[in-house]
Amino acid sequence: MKDKPAVPEPQPHWALDTGVPHTARVWNYFLGGKDNFASDRQVGERIAKVNPPVLELARASRAFLVRAVRHLTAEAGIRQFIDIGTGLPTFNNTHEVAQGIAPESRIVYVDNDPLVLVHAEALLTSTEAGVTHYVEADLHDPDTILREAEKVLDFDRPIAIMLIAILHHIDDTDEARKIVRRLVDAVPSGSHLALAHAVHSETMDEGARQWNKVGRPPLTPRSPEEIESFLDGLDVLEPGVVTTTRWRPGEVNLGVTHDVDQFAAVGRKP
């Protein structure tokens, strides 16, 4: 493994526009956080009005992340993570879960919201044995993500790629597949892909329509079959591609146990 790097001091590439809602800040609002602005709260309330289950979906998505990271760390033996679209730090962040099980775990967080950069210090807390690192980059540019991650992670050893509630912000499905393939091709055998993705329903589609009027990036729900296609070539772990709350349900559910309009899965690279 590479030597532990110094805590980075990333420089912002995007200006912070508080008048335009951003998904990371709206998601923070849904999770009960305080790192959001009036524009984020207004559009969040509008979406929640037409799609009330979205508040539970946000909690279900975070609960899936916790269960997936627990499995990847404790059972699959993964010690390296690239968490893309990490959003604002709230609770049970990837590094907290992974390093709580294996203190030597290394986590690279990736997001393009300047407010996440402001909170990078909170994300970059780490055990002495492990590493956390923040990269300001966009999922549309996987080469930059991989180049920066290589400064911290050992690409000769398995890596978990986390795409939790982010891939549905790539509106072109073919482009989304190419991005996933680029990321998966770059990591070795034994690596894993964990994803959670909005799925079509009457309420989800209306919520996406409302969001796409004013927010960024755009939201594109997909069918279960389209979501499953992102895992082509991987060994999909049981129970397969299922509604988020049905992926290995257990004690971590944050109060949401019924089906939600989001599907999730974890796949292993052979």
Side-chain angles (χ1 to χ4, degrees):
M1 296 283 285
K2 298 178 177 69
D3 292 336
K4 182 176 179 179
V7 175
E9 296 182 359
Q11 298 299 314
H13 298 162
W14 288 273
L16 178 59
D17 186 349
T18 62
V20 177
H22 191 284
T23 180
R25 302 193 300 266
V26 174
W27 206 246
N28 175 266
Y29 171 67
F30 286 156
L31 286 170
K34 300 183 183 302
D35 296 308
N36 47 73
F37 298 101
S39 62
D40 306 307
R41 294 188 289 273
Q42 288 168 2
V43 74
E45 290 168 2
R46 181 188 302 178
I47 293 170
K49 185 175 181 179
V50 299
N51 183 10
V54 73
L55 301 176
E56 293 183 330
L57 186 151
R59 297 202 306 274
S61 182
R62 178 51 58 104
F64 164 71
L65 180 145
V66 174
R67 298 197 304 273
V69 172
R70 283 186 174 185
H71 167 79
L72 291 167
T73 309
E75 299 181 43
I78 298 294
R79 297 294 182 266
Q80 305 186 110
F81 294 80
I82 304 176
D83 186 340
I84 304 174
T86 179
L88 290 154
T90 50
F91 56 90
N92 287 330
N93 300 295
T94 297
H95 74 282
E96 294 171 324
V97 179
Q99 292 181 347
I101 298 169
E104 70 276 20
S105 298
R106 296 177 172 222
I107 293 86
V108 172
Y109 287 112
V110 181
D111 208 294
N112 68 349
D113 182 354
L115 191 60
V116 179
L117 177 67
V118 173
H119 289 270
E121 184 176 353
L123 286 170
L124 293 170
T125 57
S126 174
T127 59
E128 186 64 28
V131 174
T132 59
H133 181 72
Y134 174 72
V135 173
E136 189 175 20
D138 193 295
L139 181 57
H140 288 90
D141 186 9
D143 288 341
T144 294
I145 294 171
L146 293 168
R147 183 178 65 250
E148 294 301 314
E150 285 177 347
K151 298 176 181 178
V152 177
L153 307 181
D154 182 351
F155 274 66
D156 291 326
R157 302 182 65 177
I159 295 170
I161 300 168
M162 311 294 293
L163 296 175
I164 310 300
I166 180 64
L167 199 57
H168 50 225
H169 291 302
I170 306 293
D171 57 359
D172 184 278
T173 300
D174 287 339
E175 181 187 3
R177 289 194 186 103
K178 289 177 182 177
I179 289 169
V180 173
R181 181 51 48 198
R182 175 71 181 95
L183 293 169
V184 171
D185 284 349
V187 296
S189 174
S191 295
H192 288 66
L193 169 67
L195 63 83
H197 192 298
V199 69
H200 286 301
S201 74
E202 184 176 345
T203 53
M204 175 58 73
D205 289 349
E206 178 58 22
R209 191 180 72 83
Q210 293 292 335
W211 168 258
N212 292 340
K213 287 180 179 179
V214 293
R216 67 184 185 196
L219 173 60
T220 303
R222 293 187 169 93
S223 68
E225 294 75 19
E226 288 175 312
I227 296 169
E228 186 173 5
S229 73
F230 295 126
L231 296 139
D232 286 351
L234 302 179
D235 295 330
V236 180
L237 306 187
E238 292 294 337
V241 183
V242 294
T243 186
T244 302
T245 50
R246 293 180 183 267
W247 196 91
R248 305 196 177 191
E251 73 280 8
V252 180
N253 57 47
L254 300 183
V256 185
T257 57
H258 55 78
D259 293 355
V260 295
D261 293 333
Q262 183 187 70
F263 271 43
V266 177
R268 181 185 185 277
K269 184 174 180 179

